[in-house]
Structure formats: C-alpha cells, structure tokens
Coordinates of all heavy atoms in Angstrom, one line a residue:
M1 N 88.5 111.1 92.6 CA 89.6 111.4 91.9 C 90.6 112.1 92.8 O 90.4 112.9 93.7 CB 89.2 112.4 90.7 CG 90.3 112.7 89.8 SD 89.8 113.9 88.5 CE 88.7 112.9 87.5
A2 N 91.9 111.7 92.6 CA 93.0 112.2 93.3 C 93.8 113.2 92.5 O 93.8 113.1 91.3 CB 93.9 111.0 93.8
Y3 N 94.4 114.1 93.2 CA 95.3 115.2 92.5 C 96.7 115.1 93.1 O 96.9 114.6 94.3 CB 94.7 116.5 92.7 CG 93.4 116.7 92.0 CD1 92.2 116.3 92.6 CD2 93.4 117.3 90.8 CE1 91.0 116.5 91.9 CE2 92.2 117.4 90.1 CZ 91.0 117.1 90.7 OH 89.8 117.2 90.0
A4 N 97.6 115.5 92.3 CA 99.0 115.6 92.8 C 99.7 116.7 92.2 O 99.4 117.1 91.1 CB 99.8 114.3 92.4
Y5 N 100.6 117.4 92.8 CA 101.4 118.4 92.4 C 102.7 117.9 91.9 O 103.4 117.2 92.6 CB 101.7 119.4 93.5 CG 102.8 120.5 93.1 CD1 102.5 121.4 92.1 CD2 104.0 120.5 93.7 CE1 103.5 122.3 91.7 CE2 105.0 121.4 93.3 CZ 104.7 122.3 92.4 OH 105.6 123.3 92.0
R6 N 103.1 118.2 90.6 CA 104.4 117.8 90.1 C 105.2 119.0 89.8 O 104.8 120.0 89.1 CB 104.1 117.0 88.8 CG 105.5 116.7 88.1 CD 105.5 115.4 87.3 NE 106.8 115.2 86.7 CZ 107.9 114.7 87.3 NH1 107.7 114.3 88.6 NH2 109.0 114.5 86.7
C7 N 106.5 119.0 90.3 CA 107.5 120.0 90.0 C 108.5 119.5 88.9 O 109.2 118.5 89.2 CB 108.2 120.4 91.3 SG 109.4 121.7 90.9
G8 N 108.4 120.0 87.8 CA 109.4 119.5 86.7 C 110.7 119.8 86.9 O 111.6 119.2 86.4
T9 N 111.0 121.0 87.7 CA 112.4 121.4 88.0 C 113.1 120.4 88.9 O 114.2 119.9 88.7 CB 112.4 122.8 88.5 OG1 111.8 123.7 87.6 CG2 113.8 123.2 88.9
C10 N 112.3 120.0 90.0 CA 112.8 119.1 91.0 C 112.6 117.6 90.6 O 113.2 116.7 91.2 CB 112.1 119.3 92.4 SG 112.4 120.9 93.0
R11 N 111.8 117.4 89.5 CA 111.4 116.1 89.1 C 110.8 115.3 90.2 O 111.2 114.1 90.5 CB 112.7 115.4 88.5 CG 113.2 116.2 87.3 CD 114.5 115.5 86.8 NE 114.3 114.2 86.2 CZ 114.1 114.0 84.9 NH1 114.0 115.1 84.2 NH2 113.9 112.9 84.4
T12 N 109.9 115.9 90.9 CA 109.3 115.2 92.0 C 107.7 115.3 91.9 O 107.2 116.3 91.3 CB 109.6 115.7 93.4 OG1 109.3 117.2 93.4 CG2 111.0 115.5 93.7
T13 N 107.0 114.4 92.5 CA 105.6 114.5 92.5 C 105.1 114.3 93.9 O 105.6 113.5 94.7 CB 104.9 113.4 91.6 OG1 105.4 113.5 90.3 CG2 103.3 113.5 91.5
S14 N 104.2 115.2 94.4 CA 103.7 115.1 95.7 C 102.9 113.8 96.0 O 102.4 113.3 95.0 CB 102.8 116.3 96.0 OG 101.6 116.2 95.4
P15 N 102.7 113.4 97.2 CA 101.7 112.4 97.4 C 100.3 112.8 96.9 O 100.0 114.0 96.8 CB 101.7 112.2 98.9 CG 102.9 112.9 99.4 CD 103.3 113.9 98.4
A16 N 99.5 111.8 96.6 CA 98.2 112.0 96.1 C 97.4 112.9 97.1 O 97.3 112.6 98.3 CB 97.5 110.8 95.8
A17 N 96.7 113.9 96.6 CA 95.8 114.8 97.5 C 94.4 114.4 97.2 O 94.1 114.1 96.1 CB 96.2 116.3 97.3
P18 N 93.5 114.6 98.2 CA 92.1 114.2 97.9 C 91.4 115.1 97.0 O 90.4 114.7 96.4 CB 91.5 114.2 99.3 CG 92.4 115.0 100.1 CD 93.7 114.9 99.6
N19 N 91.8 116.4 96.9 CA 91.2 117.3 96.0 C 92.1 118.2 95.5 O 93.3 118.4 95.8 CB 90.0 118.1 96.8 CG 90.5 118.7 98.0 OD1 91.5 119.5 98.0 ND2 90.0 118.3 99.2
R20 N 91.7 119.0 94.4 CA 92.6 120.0 93.7 C 93.1 121.1 94.6 O 94.3 121.4 94.5 CB 91.9 120.6 92.5 CG 92.8 121.3 91.6 CD 92.0 121.9 90.4 NE 93.0 122.5 89.6 CZ 93.7 121.9 88.5 NH1 93.4 120.7 88.3 NH2 94.6 122.6 87.9
R21 N 92.3 121.5 95.5 CA 92.7 122.6 96.5 C 93.9 122.1 97.3 O 94.8 122.9 97.6 CB 91.5 123.0 97.4 CG 91.8 124.0 98.4 CD 92.3 125.3 97.7 NE 92.9 126.2 98.7 CZ 92.3 127.1 99.4 NH1 91.0 127.3 99.2 NH2 93.0 127.8 100.2
S22 N 93.8 120.9 97.8 CA 94.9 120.3 98.6 C 96.3 120.3 97.7 O 97.4 120.6 98.3 CB 94.6 119.0 99.1 OG 93.5 119.1 100.0
A23 N 96.1 119.9 96.5 CA 97.2 119.8 95.6 C 97.8 121.2 95.3 O 99.0 121.4 95.3 CB 96.9 119.1 94.3
E24 N 96.9 122.3 95.2 CA 97.4 123.6 95.0 C 98.1 124.1 96.3 O 99.0 124.9 96.2 CB 96.2 124.5 94.6 CG 95.7 124.2 93.2 CD 94.4 124.9 92.9 OE1 93.8 125.5 93.8 OE2 94.0 124.9 91.7
D25 N 97.6 123.8 97.4 CA 98.2 124.1 98.7 C 99.6 123.6 98.7 O 100.6 124.2 99.1 CB 97.4 123.6 99.9 CG 96.2 124.3 100.1 OD1 96.0 125.5 99.6 OD2 95.3 123.9 100.9
E26 N 99.8 122.4 98.3 CA 101.1 121.7 98.2 C 102.0 122.4 97.2 O 103.3 122.6 97.4 CB 100.9 120.2 97.8 CG 102.2 119.5 97.7 CD 103.1 119.5 98.9 OE1 102.6 119.6 100.0 OE2 104.4 119.4 98.8
C27 N 101.4 122.8 96.1 CA 102.1 123.6 95.1 C 102.7 124.9 95.7 O 103.9 125.2 95.6 CB 101.2 124.0 94.0 SG 101.8 125.2 92.8
N28 N 101.9 125.7 96.4 CA 102.3 126.9 97.0 C 103.4 126.6 98.1 O 104.4 127.4 98.2 CB 101.2 127.7 97.7 CG 100.3 128.2 96.6 OD1 100.7 128.7 95.6 ND2 98.9 128.2 96.8
R29 N 103.2 125.6 98.9 CA 104.1 125.2 99.9 C 105.5 124.9 99.4 O 106.6 125.3 99.8 CB 103.6 124.0 100.7 CG 104.3 123.8 102.1 CD 104.0 122.4 102.6 NE 104.5 121.4 101.8 CZ 105.8 120.9 101.8 NH1 106.6 121.5 102.6 NH2 106.1 119.9 101.0
H30 N 105.4 124.1 98.3 CA 106.7 123.7 97.5 C 107.4 124.9 97.0 O 108.6 125.0 97.1 CB 106.4 122.6 96.4 CG 107.6 122.2 95.8 ND1 108.4 121.2 96.2 CD2 108.2 122.7 94.7 CE1 109.4 121.0 95.3 NE2 109.3 121.8 94.4
R31 N 106.6 125.8 96.3 CA 107.3 126.9 95.7 C 108.0 127.8 96.8 O 109.1 128.3 96.5 CB 106.1 127.9 95.1 CG 105.6 127.5 93.8 CD 104.6 128.4 93.3 NE 103.9 128.0 92.1 CZ 102.8 128.6 91.6 NH1 102.3 129.6 92.2 NH2 102.3 128.2 90.4
N32 N 107.3 128.1 97.9 CA 107.9 128.8 98.9 C 109.1 128.2 99.6 O 110.1 128.8 99.9 CB 106.8 129.2 100.0 CG 105.8 130.1 99.4 OD1 106.1 131.0 98.6 ND2 104.6 130.1 99.9
L33 N 109.0 126.9 99.8 CA 109.9 126.2 100.6 C 111.2 125.9 99.8 O 112.3 126.1 100.2 CB 109.4 124.9 101.2 CG 110.1 124.1 102.3 CD1 110.0 124.9 103.5 CD2 109.6 122.8 102.5
V34 N 111.0 125.5 98.5 CA 112.2 125.0 97.7 C 112.6 126.1 96.7 O 113.8 126.2 96.5 CB 111.7 123.7 96.9 CG1 112.9 123.1 96.1 CG2 111.2 122.6 97.9
H35 N 111.6 126.9 96.3 CA 112.1 127.8 95.2 C 111.9 129.3 95.6 O 111.9 130.1 94.8 CB 111.2 127.6 94.0 CG 111.4 126.2 93.4 ND1 112.5 125.8 92.7 CD2 110.5 125.0 93.5 CE1 112.3 124.4 92.4 NE2 111.2 124.0 92.9
G36 N 111.8 129.6 96.9 CA 111.9 130.9 97.4 C 110.7 131.7 96.8 O 110.9 132.9 96.7
G37 N 109.5 131.1 96.6 CA 108.4 131.8 96.1 C 108.4 131.9 94.6 O 107.3 132.3 94.0
H38 N 109.4 131.5 93.9 CA 109.5 131.5 92.4 C 108.6 130.4 91.9 O 108.4 129.4 92.5 CB 110.9 131.4 91.9 CG 111.7 132.6 92.1 ND1 112.6 133.2 91.3 CD2 111.8 133.5 93.2 CE1 113.2 134.3 91.7 NE2 112.7 134.4 93.0
I39 N 108.2 130.5 90.6 CA 107.4 129.5 90.0 C 108.3 128.6 89.2 O 108.9 129.1 88.1 CB 106.2 130.1 89.1 CG1 105.4 131.0 89.9 CG2 105.5 129.0 88.4 CD1 104.4 131.8 89.1
P40 N 108.5 127.4 89.5 CA 109.4 126.5 88.8 C 108.9 126.1 87.4 O 107.8 126.1 87.3 CB 109.6 125.3 89.7 CG 108.3 125.3 90.5 CD 107.9 126.7 90.7
D41 N 109.8 125.9 86.5 CA 109.4 125.5 85.2 C 108.8 124.0 85.3 O 109.3 123.2 86.0 CB 110.6 125.4 84.3 CG 111.2 126.7 83.9 OD1 110.4 127.7 84.1 OD2 112.4 126.9 83.5
G42 N 107.9 123.8 84.4 CA 107.4 122.5 84.2 C 106.5 121.9 85.4 O 106.4 120.7 85.6
E43 N 105.9 122.9 86.2 CA 105.1 122.4 87.3 C 103.7 122.2 86.7 O 103.3 122.8 85.8 CB 105.1 123.3 88.4 CG 104.5 124.6 88.2 CD 104.2 125.4 89.4 OE1 104.8 125.1 90.5 OE2 103.5 126.5 89.4
E44 N 103.0 121.3 87.4 CA 101.6 121.0 86.9 C 100.8 120.3 88.1 O 101.4 119.6 89.0 CB 101.5 120.1 85.7 CG 102.3 118.7 85.9 CD 102.2 117.9 84.6 OE1 101.4 118.2 83.7 OE2 103.0 117.0 84.5
I45 N 99.5 120.4 88.1 CA 98.6 119.7 89.0 C 98.1 118.5 88.1 O 97.5 118.8 87.1 CB 97.5 120.6 89.5 CG1 98.0 121.9 90.2 CG2 96.5 119.7 90.4 CD1 98.6 121.5 91.5
T46 N 98.3 117.3 88.4 CA 97.9 116.2 87.8 C 96.7 115.6 88.4 O 96.7 115.7 89.7 CB 99.0 115.2 87.5 OG1 99.4 114.7 88.8 CG2 100.2 115.8 86.7
S47 N 95.7 115.0 87.7 CA 94.7 114.3 88.3 C 94.6 112.9 87.7 O 95.2 112.6 86.6 CB 93.3 115.1 87.9 OG 93.1 115.0 86.6
T48 N 94.1 112.0 88.5 CA 94.0 110.7 88.1 C 92.7 110.1 88.7 O 92.3 110.4 89.7 CB 95.2 109.8 88.7 OG1 95.0 108.6 88.2 CG2 95.4 110.0 90.1
D49 N 92.2 109.1 87.8 CA 90.9 108.4 88.3 C 91.3 107.3 89.2 O 90.6 106.8 89.9 CB 90.2 107.8 87.1 CG 89.5 108.9 86.3 OD1 89.0 109.9 86.9 OD2 89.6 108.8 85.1
D50 N 92.6 106.9 89.1 CA 93.1 105.9 89.9 C 94.1 106.4 91.0 O 95.3 106.3 90.8 CB 93.9 104.8 89.0 CG 94.3 103.6 89.7 OD1 93.9 103.4 90.9 OD2 95.1 102.8 89.1
G51 N 93.5 106.8 92.1 CA 94.4 107.2 93.1 C 95.3 106.2 93.7 O 96.3 106.5 94.3
G52 N 95.0 104.9 93.5 CA 95.8 103.8 94.0 C 97.1 103.8 93.3 O 98.1 103.2 93.7
Q53 N 97.2 104.4 92.0 CA 98.4 104.2 91.2 C 99.6 104.9 91.9 O 100.7 104.4 92.0 CB 98.2 104.9 90.0 CG 99.4 104.8 88.9 CD 99.1 105.4 87.6 OE1 98.0 106.0 87.3 NE2 100.1 105.3 86.7
F54 N 99.2 106.1 92.6 CA 100.4 106.7 93.4 C 100.9 105.9 94.5 O 102.0 105.8 94.7 CB 99.8 108.1 93.9 CG 99.6 109.1 92.9 CD1 98.4 109.3 92.4 CD2 100.7 109.8 92.3 CE1 98.1 110.3 91.4 CE2 100.5 110.7 91.3 CZ 99.2 110.9 90.9
I55 N 99.9 105.2 95.2 CA 100.3 104.3 96.2 C 101.2 103.2 95.7 O 102.3 102.9 96.2 CB 99.1 103.7 96.9 CG1 98.3 104.9 97.6 CG2 99.5 102.7 98.0 CD1 97.0 104.6 98.1
R56 N 100.8 102.6 94.5 CA 101.6 101.5 94.0 C 103.0 102.0 93.5 O 104.0 101.3 93.8 CB 100.9 100.9 92.8 CG 99.7 100.0 93.2 CD 99.3 99.1 92.1 NE 98.8 99.8 90.9 CZ 97.5 100.2 90.9 NH1 96.7 99.9 91.9 NH2 97.1 100.9 89.8
L57 N 103.0 103.2 93.0 CA 104.3 103.7 92.5 C 105.2 104.0 93.7 O 106.4 103.7 93.6 CB 104.1 105.0 91.6 CG 103.6 104.8 90.3 CD1 103.2 106.2 89.6 CD2 104.5 104.0 89.4
S58 N 104.7 104.6 94.7 CA 105.5 104.9 95.9 C 105.9 103.6 96.5 O 107.1 103.6 97.1 CB 104.8 105.8 96.9 OG 103.5 105.1 97.3
T59 N 105.2 102.5 96.5 CA 105.5 101.3 97.0 C 106.6 100.7 96.2 O 107.7 100.2 96.8 CB 104.4 100.3 97.0 OG1 103.3 100.8 97.8 CG2 104.7 98.9 97.6
I60 N 106.6 100.8 95.0 CA 107.8 100.3 94.1 C 108.9 101.1 94.4 O 110.1 100.5 94.5 CB 107.4 100.4 92.6 CG1 106.3 99.4 92.3 CG2 108.5 100.2 91.7 CD1 105.6 99.6 90.9
G61 N 108.9 102.5 94.6 CA 110.0 103.3 94.8 C 110.6 102.9 96.2 O 111.8 102.9 96.3
L62 N 109.8 102.7 97.2 CA 110.3 102.2 98.5 C 111.1 100.9 98.4 O 112.0 100.7 99.0 CB 109.1 102.1 99.5 CG 108.7 103.4 100.1 CD1 107.4 103.1 101.0 CD2 109.7 104.0 100.9
F63 N 110.6 99.9 97.5 CA 111.1 98.7 97.3 C 112.6 98.9 96.7 O 113.5 98.4 97.2 CB 110.3 97.8 96.4 CG 111.0 96.5 96.0 CD1 111.0 95.5 96.9 CD2 111.6 96.4 94.8 CE1 111.7 94.3 96.6 CE2 112.2 95.2 94.3 CZ 112.3 94.2 95.3
F64 N 112.7 99.7 95.7 CA 114.0 100.0 95.2 C 114.9 100.7 96.1 O 116.1 100.4 96.1 CB 113.9 100.6 93.8 CG 113.4 99.6 92.7 CD1 112.2 99.7 92.2 CD2 114.3 98.7 92.3 CE1 111.8 98.9 91.1 CE2 113.8 97.7 91.3 CZ 112.7 97.9 90.7
A65 N 114.3 101.6 96.8 CA 115.2 102.4 97.8 C 115.7 101.3 98.9 O 116.9 101.4 99.2 CB 114.3 103.5 98.5
G66 N 114.8 100.5 99.3 CA 115.3 99.5 100.3 C 116.3 98.6 99.7 O 117.4 98.2 100.4
C67 N 116.2 98.2 98.4 CA 117.3 97.4 97.8 C 118.6 98.1 97.7 O 119.7 97.6 98.0 CB 116.8 96.9 96.4 SG 115.5 95.7 96.4
A68 N 118.5 99.3 97.3 CA 119.7 100.2 97.3 C 120.4 100.3 98.6 O 121.7 100.2 98.6 CB 119.4 101.6 96.8
V69 N 119.6 100.4 99.7 CA 120.2 100.6 101.1 C 120.9 99.3 101.4 O 122.0 99.2 101.9 CB 119.1 100.9 102.1 CG1 119.7 100.7 103.5 CG2 118.7 102.4 101.9
L70 N 120.2 98.1 101.2 CA 120.8 96.8 101.5 C 122.1 96.6 100.6 O 123.1 96.0 101.2 CB 119.7 95.7 101.2 CG 118.6 95.6 102.1 CD1 117.6 94.5 101.7 CD2 119.1 95.3 103.5
A71 N 122.1 97.0 99.4 CA 123.3 96.9 98.5 C 124.4 97.6 99.1 O 125.5 97.2 99.0 CB 123.0 97.2 97.1
L72 N 124.1 98.9 99.5 CA 125.1 99.8 100.1 C 125.7 99.2 101.3 O 126.9 99.2 101.6 CB 124.5 101.1 100.3 CG 125.4 102.2 100.8 CD1 126.4 102.5 99.7 CD2 124.6 103.5 101.1
I73 N 124.8 98.6 102.2 CA 125.4 98.0 103.4 C 126.3 96.8 103.1 O 127.3 96.6 103.7 CB 124.2 97.6 104.3 CG1 123.5 98.8 104.9 CG2 124.6 96.6 105.5 CD1 122.1 98.5 105.5
G74 N 125.8 96.0 102.1 CA 126.6 94.9 101.7 C 127.9 95.3 101.2 O 129.0 94.8 101.4
F75 N 128.0 96.4 100.4 CA 129.2 96.9 99.8 C 130.1 97.4 100.9 O 131.4 97.1 100.9 CB 128.8 98.1 98.8 CG 130.0 98.7 98.3 CD1 130.6 98.2 97.0 CD2 130.6 99.9 98.7 CE1 131.7 98.8 96.5 CE2 131.7 100.5 98.2 CZ 132.2 99.9 97.0
I76 N 129.6 98.2 101.9 CA 130.4 98.7 103.0 C 131.0 97.5 103.8 O 132.2 97.5 104.1 CB 129.6 99.6 103.9 CG1 129.3 100.9 103.1 CG2 130.3 99.9 105.2 CD1 128.2 101.8 103.7
R77 N 130.2 96.5 104.1 CA 130.7 95.4 104.9 C 131.8 94.6 104.2 O 132.7 94.1 104.8 CB 129.6 94.4 105.2 CG 128.7 94.8 106.3 CD 127.7 93.8 106.7 NE 127.0 94.2 108.0 CZ 126.0 93.4 108.4 NH1 125.6 92.3 107.8 NH2 125.4 93.8 109.5
A78 N 131.6 94.5 102.8 CA 132.6 93.7 102.0 C 133.9 94.4 101.9 O 135.0 93.8 101.7 CB 132.0 93.5 100.7
H79 N 133.9 95.7 102.2 CA 135.2 96.5 102.0 C 135.7 97.0 103.3 O 136.6 97.8 103.3 CB 134.9 97.7 101.0 CG 134.7 97.2 99.7 ND1 133.5 96.8 99.1 CD2 135.5 97.1 98.6 CE1 133.6 96.5 97.9 NE2 134.8 96.7 97.5
L80 N 135.2 96.5 104.4 CA 135.8 96.9 105.7 C 136.6 95.7 106.3 O 136.2 94.7 106.1 CB 134.7 97.3 106.7 CG 134.0 98.7 106.4 CD1 133.0 99.0 107.4 CD2 135.1 99.8 106.4
Ligands
ZN101 ZN1 110.6 122.1 92.8

C-alpha cells in the first residue's frame, strides 16, 4: 500500500510514499517549507491499494504539461 500527503491549501499531492511514516515526514517538511510550520487547511494522508495510480496520474500530468509547453513555443514562434 502506498501513501501520499495532500495539502488542500496548495492543492498538491506528494509523490507516493512507501509507508505512512514517509508520508508524515513529507507532511512535516511541507508544513515547515511552505507554511512556516503552520498546519494548512485540508491536509490529509491518503492511502491507496493501487500505488501505480499515482504514477499514471503524474504521467498524464507530464503529458499535458508537455503539450502546454509545446503550445506556448508555437504561440511565441507565430508571434515573433
Ligand atoms: Zn501547502
């Protein structure tokens, strides 16, 4: 089972962690780094039986990010 830390304030989810402790470490790191040690609203540790789902979701995200970059490059070239 994989775990992930989700911050509802930042609307982000950490990469899948192999155990709950790792996800909690990520939680503390995120709180300190992004929120100055405060506890953000809507945070949670999520677990999933399908750890591969995170990989598939991040792959889809990378695909759309790549498309966005290519579209931006095309837009810039068309207007220069
Ligand atoms: Zn956050």
